[in-house]
Amino acid sequence: MRRPTSCSSSLLFILVLLFLSESWGQRLNTDNKKPSCDHCNQQLFCNCSHNGFTSVPSVTGSALSLDLSFNKITAVTNDDLTGHTQLKVLDLHGNGLAEIHPSAFDSLWSLEQLDLSYNQLTMLNYKWFSKLEALQQLNLLNNPYSYLGSPPVFGALVRLRKLALGGPSLNELRRGDLSGVTQLEELTVHANNLTSYDAGTLAHIWPLGHVTLSLHGPFLTNVTLAGAMIDDVSYPETPIILKDIHLIGVQSVQPFSKAAKRRIRYLTLHNVSVSDEAIVDLLVVLDGVPLTKLTIEDVTLTGEGWWEKASKTDHKSIDEFHIRNVVILDVYKFTSLLQLGFLLEYPRRVSVINAKVFVMPCLTSHLLKNLQYLDLSDNLLTDLTLVETLCGTTQTLMDIRVLNFSGNALKSLSTVSRLVTKFSKLTHLDISRTGYSFMPSSCPWPSTLRFLNISGAKFTAITPCLPKTLEVLDLSNNNLKDFTLLLPVLRELYLSGNKFLRLPSGLSFPNLQTLTIQSNTLNMFGKTDLQSYQRLENLQAGQNKFVCSCDFVSFVQLELRGGGGIELTDGVDSYICDSPFYLQGQPVDQVRLSVVMCHQVLFVSVSCGLALFVAILLSVVLWRIHAFWYLKMIWAWLKTKRNSRQRQQRRDKADTEALISFDAFVSYSERDAGWVENFLVPELEEPSESSSGTRSASHQPLTLCLHKRDFLPGQWIVDNIMNAIERSRRTVFILSENFVQSDWCRYELDFSHFWLFEGHATGEAAILILLEPLSKDDVPKRFYKLRKLMSSTTYLEWPQEDEKREEFWRSLRNALRGNDN
Ligand SMILES: *[C@@H]1O[C@H](CO)[C@@H](O)[C@H](O)[C@H]1NC(C)=O
Ligand SMILES: *[C@@H]1O[C@H](CO)[C@@H](O)[C@H](O)[C@H]1NC(C)=O
Ligand SMILES: *[C@@H]1O[C@H](CO)[C@@H](O)[C@H](O)[C@H]1NC(C)=O
Ligand SMILES: *[C@@H]1O[C@H](CO)[C@@H](O)[C@H](O)[C@H]1NC(C)=O
Ligand SMILES: *[C@@H]1O[C@H](CO)[C@@H](O)[C@H](O)[C@H]1NC(C)=O
Ligand SMILES: *[C@@H]1O[C@H](CO)[C@@H](O)[C@H](O)[C@H]1NC(C)=O
C-alpha cells in the first residue's frame, strides 16, 4: 500500500517543481518585457504622452511620430529605439531623463525633430547626435548641464534649422561650442545664469532667423557679456527677442548699443521691467537706428511716463509700436505721453493691448499723424472715453484704416458708428467682445468699411444697421436666431456660437464664399439649404446638435468626401450625431443607416399597402369560402349546444313523448309562405273530405309548427327553431330557390341536421319537399348538409299538374306518420 503512495507523491513533487520553474521563467520574461504603447493613429502618430512609462515603451516600428512627453522615463538605453528608421519626430519633453546611451539614437536616420527639454541631463554627448543627419529641430532647454562640452555637440547636424539650448544651470558658452551650426531659422538660448561667454560664439551662424535670448543674469551682473551675445546675433533682418530682463539701472541698456550699431530693425522685449530712466536711455541708444518695429510684451513700467528727455532723438524709422500686457506700477501718476510727439509722429501702426488704457486723450491722438492701424483691444475704454479718444467729429486720425476696440466696455453701437463715419479710409473695424446688445434700425458708416467684427457681443437680432459694403462679417457668439438682410458683397460670414436652428437663406449673400456656423442649434442641413448659396466654397458647421437622419448623413458623408461642391473645412470630427439616441456621440462620418430607416415613408407605405392587400385578399378569400357564415354558424352552434344540453336535462326528467307537441316543423322561406299557407297548411291541418273522397286514418289532421304562427315572440330565433325542431316529430323542408337564399332556413337545416346526427332521431326526421325542380348541384356547396340530405333522403317533388297532387299529399302524409306505424 505504501509504495504507490510514495511514488505518486514524488511524481507530484516533480510536477510542482516543473510548474514552479515554469512560472519562474515566465516571471523573468515579464520582468524583461518592455511596456508597450499602442496609441498610434492612422498617420502613425503615436501619442504615448502622460502614460507613466518608466522606460521607453515598445511602439510599432513604422511609427512616424512618437510622443513620450510627460512620462517618468529616466534612461534611454542602447536598444530602446532600434529599428525606428522611419521615425521623424521624437518627443521626450518633461521626463526626468538623466541618462542616454551614446548610441541610443543611432538608428534614427530619418529623425527631423528631437525634443529633450525639461529633463535631468547634466551632460550633453556629441555621440547622441552623430548619426542624426536629417535632424532639423533640436530642443535641449532646461536641463541641468552647465556647459555644452566638447567635441562640439552639434557638429554632425548639417540640416539643423531650429535650435534651443540652455537653462538655469548654463553658465558658460565657449567659442566652438556651436561649430557645425551654420544657418538657423530659430535660435533660442536660455542664458539667465550665464557668467562666461566667449565673444563670437554665436557669430558664425548666418543667415539667422528669429533669435530669443533670455539674459536675466547678464543684464544685471555683466552687461559686457550681454552686449557680446547680442552683438553676435544682431543683423538687420533678424528679429531679436530679449527675455526676462530688468532695465532699471543707469548702465542697464548698455548692451543695446551693440544692436544699435548693427542696425537691427526688429526688437522685442519680453517679460521685462523698465524704469523711466531706462526708457529714456533706450531711446537715446536707439537714436537714428532704422528700427521699424518695437514690440514690448509682459512689461512692468516702474516709472511715471517722464520720457521727454529723449525728445531730441530721432525715431523716424519706427513704423510700429506693439505693446501688450502692460502693468504700470503707479498708474495714477502716469502721465499722458503728451511729450512724446517726437515718438508718435511717425508710426503707422500702434497697438496697446491689455494695458488698462481707459482713455487716449484727443491731444495724444492728434499727435499720431501717420496712424493707419490702432489696436486698443482689451482695455478699459467706454463710450464716453471713446468719443475723447477719437476726438469726436473733428478731423483727427484721418488716415486710419484699421480700428480695434475689441474687449472694451463699449455699450452703444450707434456711438461707435457715428464716431467712425468720418474716417473715409476705414476698412476694418473690430468691436468684438464688447457690451453691445441693441442694434439701431440704421447707422451711418464710412463707405469704405469692408470688415466688421462684432463677435462676442449680446445681439439678439440684426437690423439694416449693418453696412451693405461689408465683405467680412463676424457675428459669432451672440444670441442670434436668424439672419435676413441682403449683403451683396459679403464673402465671409461667421455665425458660430449663436442660436440658429437652420442655415440662413443664401439668397441674402450672393457672393458668400465662407460660412462658419459651428456650435449653434442646427439639427441638420442639406442640399436644398445650400442650393441658395451661389458661391459658397467653404462651410464649417460642426459641433451642432445634429439629428442624424438619412438625408443629412448621406449629404454630410458626401461633402466630407469632397463629393459636393462645398468643402466642410472643419473636419470629420466636428460632425457628431446628437440624436436619435442610439447614434448619440457617433461621428456622422461613421454612421451606417439601414435601408428601412432611410426609406421610411416608402417602407411604411409599401408595408401598409401590402398589409391592406393581404387583408383584402384574405377577406375576399374568406368571403368566397363563406368563412363568416361558418363562424356565425359555429357560434350559433355552440350556443345552441349549450341550450340544448339544458333542454336535454329538462327532457330527461319529463317523458320525451310528452314534449312532442307538433307532428312537423315546417321550415320554409318567407317567399314560399304563399304555398305553405295556401296548400300545405289547409291540406295537412284541416283535410277536406272532398279532396280525397274517403276519410281515412291517414286523413287525421296533423299539427304543424310554423314559425310565423308558433314561435314565441322575443326569443332568440335559433332557440325558437331549436325548440320547434325538438318539439316536432319531423321537420319538413320546403326546398326552392328561395329557400336556398334565405339565411335562417339554413340554420333550421343545420339544427335539424345537428339534431339528426346527435342521435336523437333517425334519418327520417327530415322530409324534403322540392317546390320546383332543384338538382343537388343548384344548392351551393357550403350547404353540404342539405346536399347530403338531398342525396341520402328521398324527397317529394311538388307536381305542377293537378292530377298528381293527390299522390303527393298521400306520400307526404305517409312520410309524416310513417315512423309511428
Ligand atoms: C496625447 O494624449 C494626452 C493624454 O493621453 C493628451 O492630453 C494630449 O492632448 C494628446 N496629444 C495630442 C497631440 O493629441
Ligand atoms: C539661476 O538664476 C536664478 C535667478 O534667475 C537663480 O534663482 C538660480 O539659483 C540660478 N540657478 C543656478 C543653477 O545657478
Ligand atoms: C563679464 O563677462 C566677460 C565675458 O565672459 C568676462 O570676461 C568678464 O570677466 C565678466 N565680468 C565680470 C565682472 O564678471
Ligand atoms: C520673467 O522674468 C523673471 C526674471 O526677471 C523670471 O523670474 C520669470 O520666471 C520670468 N517669467 C516668465 C513667464 O518667463
Ligand atoms: C483685434 O484684437 C483682438 C484681440 O487682441 C484680435 O483677436 C483681433 O484679431 C484684432 N482684430 C484685428 C482686425 O486685427
Ligand atoms: C473677431 O474677433 C474675435 C475676438 O476678438 C476673434 O477671435 C476673431 O478671430 C475675429 N474674427 C475675424 C474674422 O477675424
Side-chain angles (χ1 to χ4, degrees):
M1 265 323 257
R2 278 189 64 87
R3 269 184 75 86
T5 317
S6 67
C7 179
S8 61
S9 65
S10 58
L11 200 68
L12 190 72
F13 181 62
I14 290 168
L15 277 175
V16 166
L17 262 185
L18 273 174
F19 176 75
L20 276 179
S21 62
E22 191 93 346
S23 56
W24 179 246
Q26 262 174 16
R27 240 187 53 219
L28 277 181
N29 267 347
T30 48
D31 274 355
N32 273 345
K33 213 167 157 193
K34 282 166 61 168
S36 76
C37 164
D38 51 5
H39 308 298
C40 300
N41 66 11
Q42 281 166 344
Q43 288 78 43
L44 294 166
F45 175 97
C46 303
N47 182 0
C48 310
S49 174
H50 292 283
N51 266 295
F53 291 118
T54 52
S55 61
V56 175
S58 64
V59 184
T60 168
S62 53
L64 293 179
S65 173
L66 177 55
D67 185 349
L68 289 167
S69 58
F70 302 107
N71 285 293
K72 293 172 182 139
I73 302 167
T74 51
V76 182
T77 64
N78 192 8
D79 52 0
D80 272 348
L81 293 162
T82 47
H84 282 287
T85 53
Q86 321 259 322
L87 198 66
K88 286 190 156 55
V89 180
L90 176 61
D91 189 347
L92 282 159
H93 174 98
N95 267 289
L97 197 62
E99 206 181 316
I100 299 176
H101 189 276
S103 46
F105 301 143
D106 276 6
S107 56
L108 309 180
W109 304 316
S110 311
L111 199 68
E112 291 173 1
Q113 297 180 26
L114 177 59
D115 190 341
L116 296 170
S117 58
Y118 292 87
N119 280 301
Q120 295 300 325
L121 299 170
T122 49
M123 306 279 278
L124 300 180
N125 190 337
Y126 77 99
K127 285 186 184 148
W128 296 339
F129 311 121
S130 61
K131 301 274 168 56
L132 303 180
E133 279 161 21
L135 200 69
Q136 294 172 15
Q137 301 183 23
L138 177 60
N139 190 345
L140 294 168
L141 285 179
N142 291 326
N143 279 283
Y145 50 86
S146 53
Y147 59 95
L148 294 184
S150 60
V153 182
F154 312 117
L157 303 175
V158 292
R159 298 260 184 105
L160 199 64
R161 294 298 172 265
K162 292 185 183 174
L163 175 62
L165 58 93
S169 302
L170 185 71
N171 52 40
E172 64 171 51
L173 281 175
R174 296 265 155 263
R175 189 185 291 272
D177 275 353
L178 279 101
S179 66
V181 181
T182 51
Q183 54 170 300
L184 287 178
E185 290 163 12
E186 267 180 48
L187 172 65
T188 305
V189 183
H190 280 199
N192 279 335
N193 284 348
L194 200 69
T195 52
S196 167
Y197 177 80
D198 283 354
T201 303
L202 299 172
H204 62 278
I205 305 169
W206 196 86
L208 187 54
H210 292 74
V211 175
T212 306
L213 303 177
S214 304
L215 294 173
H216 181 73
F219 261 87
L220 282 181
T221 59
N222 192 337
V223 287
T224 325
L225 189 155
M229 268 187 99
I230 292 172
D231 192 25
D232 282 350
V233 296
S234 294
Y235 302 98
E237 297 303 323
T238 302
I240 293 185
I241 302 164
L242 296 177
K243 288 177 76 171
D244 304 345
I245 54 183
H246 276 288
L247 301 177
I248 307 290
V250 186
Q251 283 294 303
S252 59
V253 299
Q254 204 51 48
F256 289 99
S257 59
K258 299 285 184 187
K261 272 200 201 105
R262 308 210 30 172
R263 306 183 75 74
I264 59 161
R265 309 233 321 254
Y266 311 101
L267 179 62
T268 298
L269 304 179
H270 195 174
N271 187 23
V272 291
S273 34
V274 202
S275 65
D276 277 351
E277 298 78 31
I279 286 191
V280 171
D281 286 352
L282 187 63
L283 290 172
V284 171
V285 164
L286 295 176
D287 181 20
V289 173
L291 194 69
T292 54
K293 180 170 179 183
L294 179 61
T295 305
I296 304 178
E297 292 199 4
D298 300 326
V299 58
T300 306
L301 294 178
T302 59
E304 297 171 3
W306 300 110
W307 305 339
E308 80 276 18
K309 277 187 218 150
S311 60
K312 293 292 178 298
T313 56
D314 161 20
H315 297 283
K316 283 197 188 65
S317 61
I318 291 219
D319 189 54
E320 179 170 0
F321 279 120
H322 185 102
I323 300 167
R324 181 192 284 267
N325 304 340
V326 183
V327 176
I328 299 172
L329 288 186
D330 216 343
V331 72
Y332 297 106
K333 289 194 190 149
F334 207 80
T335 57
S336 57
L337 311 182
L338 277 185
Q339 319 88 346
L340 296 187
F342 69 100
L343 253 185
L344 301 182
E345 191 178 339
Y346 307 106
R348 286 183 300 160
R349 298 166 64 93
V350 169
S351 306
V352 182
I353 302 166
N354 189 20
K356 302 207 167 59
V357 174
F358 51 88
V359 66
M360 181 166 82
C362 177
L363 286 172
T364 308
S365 305
H366 209 71
L367 296 175
L368 293 159
K369 292 203 179 73
N370 279 308
L371 202 66
Q372 296 182 0
Y373 179 107
L374 177 62
D375 187 343
L376 289 174
S377 51
D378 293 304
N379 281 300
L380 304 170
L381 299 177
T382 62
D383 291 322
L384 213 64
T385 60
L386 191 67
V387 176
E388 170 69 15
T389 301
L390 297 180
C391 298
T393 50
T394 61
Q395 303 286 299
T396 318
L397 299 171
M398 290 311 286
D399 246 3
I400 207 83
R401 278 139 223 233
V402 180
L403 277 174
N404 194 344
F405 298 125
S406 173
N408 280 286
L410 305 175
K411 293 229 162 60
S412 161
L413 186 63
S414 55
T415 303
V416 72
S417 129
R418 188 167 45 77
L419 283 172
V420 301
T421 317
K422 66 177 178 184
F423 300 126
S424 58
K425 291 177 182 168
L426 188 73
T427 56
H428 285 60
L429 179 62
D430 191 333
I431 40 177
S432 58
R433 298 183 294 124
T434 42
Y436 298 132
S437 57
F438 171 70
M439 205 178 272
S441 58
S442 76
C443 319
W445 296 104
S447 62
T448 43
L449 196 63
R450 300 279 174 269
F451 172 103
L452 183 60
N453 191 342
I454 339 183
S455 65
K458 294 173 189 131
F459 291 117
T460 52
I462 55 138
T463 68
C465 166
L466 294 174
K468 293 256 187 295
T469 53
L470 289 182
E471 289 173 14
V472 179
L473 174 60
D474 193 336
L475 278 166
S476 328
N477 303 314
N478 279 283
N479 292 319
L480 302 176
K481 290 198 181 66
D482 55 7
F483 196 119
T484 46
L485 178 68
L486 180 68
L487 293 174
V489 291
L490 198 69
R491 284 184 291 105
E492 297 175 24
L493 178 59
Y494 300 89
L495 295 173
S496 295
N498 280 289
K499 291 177 175 162
F500 282 82
L501 283 169
R502 56 175 60 89
L503 287 185
S505 163
L507 298 174
S508 308
F509 324 106
N511 274 300
L512 199 69
Q513 291 164 9
T514 299
L515 175 61
T516 302
I517 187 161
Q518 296 172 317
S519 307
N520 275 275
T521 43
L522 292 187
N523 287 148
M524 60 181 74
F525 57 89
K527 211 179 169 65
T528 43
D529 293 306
L530 293 179
Q531 256 160 5
S532 58
Y533 292 87
Q534 294 163 26
R535 299 230 170 139
L536 197 65
E537 289 164 4
N538 193 327
L539 176 64
Q540 303 193 349
Q543 278 116 33
N544 275 294
K545 303 239 174 257
F546 292 120
V547 176
C548 281
S549 69
C550 297
D551 283 349
F552 176 72
V553 167
S554 63
F555 176 73
V556 169
Q557 288 181 352
L558 181 73
E559 295 293 336
L560 282 172
R561 268 180 246 118
I566 294 158
E567 212 181 327
L568 297 179
T569 40
D570 48 351
V572 181
D573 301 337
S574 312
Y575 295 83
I576 308 285
C577 297
D578 187 60
S579 65
F581 185 68
Y582 66 95
L583 289 177
Q584 203 170 43
Q586 272 197 44
V588 177
D589 187 43
Q590 282 161 29
V591 167
R592 298 285 170 268
L593 290 173
S594 66
V595 181
V596 175
M597 277 279 309
C598 289
H599 302 282
Q600 217 160 20
V601 173
L602 191 69
F603 182 76
V604 167
S605 41
V606 163
S607 41
C608 280
L610 214 64
L612 200 68
F613 178 73
V614 166
I616 289 173
L617 201 71
L618 200 68
S619 322
V620 166
V621 167
L622 288 179
W623 179 75
R624 282 304 292 258
I625 63 168
H626 306 283
F628 303 113
W629 181 80
Y630 282 114
L631 279 176
K632 220 156 81 182
M633 286 307 305
I634 287 169
W635 188 70
W637 182 82
L638 285 173
K639 193 164 167 188
T640 314
K641 191 150 177 173
R642 206 190 64 223
N643 290 351
S644 103
R645 208 176 300 126
Q646 289 166 357
R647 274 193 300 272
Q648 178 78 43
Q649 285 162 1
R650 253 182 280 134
R651 210 169 33 235
D652 282 348
K653 285 178 206 144
D655 180 22
T656 315
E657 204 51 33
L659 271 167
I660 304 276
S661 33
F662 300 104
D663 285 317
F665 167 62
V666 184
S667 173
Y668 60 97
S669 161
E670 201 52 45
R671 301 216 192 119
D672 297 325
W675 183 83
V676 171
E677 281 159 22
N678 293 333
F679 292 94
L680 187 73
V681 174
E683 187 61 40
L684 296 184
E685 289 200 336
E686 39 208 71
S688 62
E689 307 282 329
S690 59
S691 64
S692 58
T694 52
R695 189 185 167 97
S696 68
S698 65
H699 276 70
Q700 290 301 310
L702 293 161
T703 50
L704 297 180
C705 173
L706 299 182
H707 70 267
K708 242 184 185 173
R709 195 179 62 190
D710 304 311
F711 274 12
L712 287 172
Q715 232 186 327
W716 187 44
I717 184 111
V718 178
D719 272 345
N720 255 326
I721 294 170
M722 222 33 232
N723 248 326
I725 291 174
E726 279 172 6
R727 289 167 59 209
S728 308
R729 207 172 276 119
R730 302 272 190 282
T731 306
V732 177
F733 292 102
I734 314 297
L735 295 186
S736 68
E737 285 287 345
N738 297 333
F739 183 90
V740 173
Q741 305 299 327
S742 158
D743 257 6
W744 65 264
C745 290
R746 289 173 214 152
Y747 291 124
E748 293 162 38
L749 197 65
D750 267 285
F751 297 125
S752 71
H753 181 255
F754 157 73
W755 190 240
L756 292 174
F757 290 94
E758 289 283 301
H760 292 282
T762 64
E764 285 158 24
I767 295 162
L768 303 184
I769 295 172
L770 260 62
L771 274 193
E772 48 201 18
L774 197 68
S775 93
K776 199 178 85 179
D777 298 329
D778 293 336
V779 181
K781 283 220 175 69
R782 66 180 189 279
F783 304 145
Y784 76 102
K785 282 166 189 164
L786 177 56
R787 288 160 68 103
K788 214 160 154 187
L789 220 52
M790 280 174 79
S791 54
S792 66
T793 315
T794 48
Y795 40 81
L796 298 168
E797 264 183 85
W798 172 244
Q800 294 305 313
E801 304 89 1
D802 278 355
E803 314 87 66
K804 292 190 182 159
R805 288 189 180 159
E806 194 54 38
E807 180 60 30
F808 169 83
W809 291 124
R810 198 170 33 250
S811 304
L812 181 58
R813 274 198 199 91
N814 285 343
L816 285 173
R817 295 219 171 89
N819 210 26
D820 304 341
N821 300 345

